[in-house]
Amino acid sequence: MIDDLTLNETAVEPVAPESAAEPTLEPAPEAPAVAAPAPVAREPLTVWLHCGPFKTGSTALQTILAEKSEWLAERGADYPVRPEDMEFWVHRRPGNRPVVQGGNFDVVSRYVVERLEAGERPQAESAARALASLTETLGRAPGRSLILSSENAATLDPVLIRDAVIAAFPDREVTVRPVFVIRDLLDHAVSLWAHQVRYRALTTPLADYVMSPEGTVQLETLKAYASVFGEEAVVVIRYRRADSVAKDLISLTPAKGFVSPELGARVVNGSLSVAACEALQKVAAYVPAGSWVLASSGARLGNELYSAVAEALADEEAGADRNALPVDKALRDAFAERFADDLKWLNTRFDPIGGDVGVTAKGRKGQPVKEHARRVSEAFDRALSLALRQCALADGQSFPHLKI
């Protein structure tokens, strides 16, 4: 008897007894249905998202991660880097080690920034596709940890970043753990100010800048990520040496036995001293007006002049034994009082790896501040003279208002 088989009901002629009956061929039994293979269970994926912020040693950290990417992958902690991103390897200055200009998560950060600059709203799905192009190798090893890094992530919407990372792995249970490297608050604010003066022609005085929300942007960014991911998900590492921070970050992953690499030639810190920044601000104050350069192209030549003086001052100060970012006691005390509650929240709720975050910015040991200011004044005169020649301005012009 064959189940589920319907026979054609046709009349059958009787067979004579003396005649041999022809053999009846029964239909072959149907093959049993083959069940679809059960999906292979994939272990949960933890994504450690290093978000910077700026001026916390991100470049040096990303260089170490890129150099150790194969070592990390062998031990279950992927830091994938696309071949095309290797174009970002450069030498900062002769005699110094090559560094990576950005982390592997910049592929997503660049997409988001480009959409915002185009006046469009970035979509998590498109950002996820950009991320997927980076993580093609992860399918070979389910259950691995993934390290992503971009200081630009600190400037982006944490909801978009979260959704993009999760959407990039539709077949995984993904947990995103933001990692922040937090620098002593005042030291970080002063370093940001120096960076903005050098590259953005910032004219705001140091004391005003460090007491503003812009000076403590790392706190506001941390609060935004904590509100989206939850305080328990966020990891805070205190800013120290780049190799120490790398070891702290890698210790969160399955990778074992990490030995801090020999840094070799140092990664150059491009910060200018307070004295050099204040000298540079004298140029920045006159760049927008352009009244003291050729009238037909004053703004262009003014900006060129500013950039040339900034670079020349940086060259003069590179490697100098100096008091880089001195801050007087009055400013330090006022800053500490204003942000006391934020410091308490930061140190008690996150218990930073590497110790509590505080308020310092005492500056490096080196030449006395007055002696350094005199040397900067001499360097500034030379830098200004050189920059004027480079910008093809008329020789012999006098700019007494730029003297320091």
Side-chain angles (χ1 to χ4, degrees), residues 236-240 248 351-357:
V236 171
I237 299 175
R238 185 171 67 84
Y239 170 82
R240 293 170 292 161
D248 291 337
D351 190 18
I353 299 173
D356 285 356
V357 177

Side-chain angles (χ1 to χ4, degrees), residues 220-239:
E220 299 308 312
T221 303
L222 179 60
K223 291 175 182 177
Y225 269 78
S227 68
V228 170
F229 291 89
E231 291 180 358
E232 68 285 350
V234 178
V235 176
V236 171
I237 299 175
R238 185 171 67 84
Y239 170 82

Side-chain angles (χ1 to χ4, degrees), residues 312-335:
L313 273 175
D315 289 338
E316 291 283 354
E317 292 206 319
D321 182 22
R322 66 187 192 277
N323 215 340
L325 298 172
V327 172
D328 61 44
K329 185 177 184 300
L331 177 58
R332 190 159 54 246
D333 291 346
F335 186 94

Side-chain angles (χ1 to χ4, degrees), residues 76-131:
D78 275 295
Y79 182 79
V81 180
R82 301 186 309 167
E84 54 265 38
D85 288 336
M86 286 298 94
E87 297 175 3
F88 286 90
W89 284 84
V90 297
H91 286 273
R92 282 289 182 100
R93 295 180 186 274
N96 289 285
R97 73 197 300 235
V99 296
V100 178
Q101 298 293 82
N104 62 354
F105 195 64
D106 276 359
V107 64
V108 175
S109 300
R110 288 195 297 268
Y111 158 79
V112 175
V113 171
E114 288 170 359
R115 297 282 70 73
L116 292 174
E117 290 179 346
E120 303 173 10
R121 181 176 180 177
Q123 300 297 320
E125 294 78 7
S126 298
R129 287 195 292 273
L131 177 59

Side-chain angles (χ1 to χ4, degrees), residues 247-268:
K247 189 171 185 178
D248 291 337
L249 173 57
I250 293 170
S251 71
L252 302 171
T253 74
K256 304 297 179 184
F258 176 77
V259 177
S260 298
E262 291 293 332
L263 291 182
R266 67 189 180 91
V267 176
V268 172

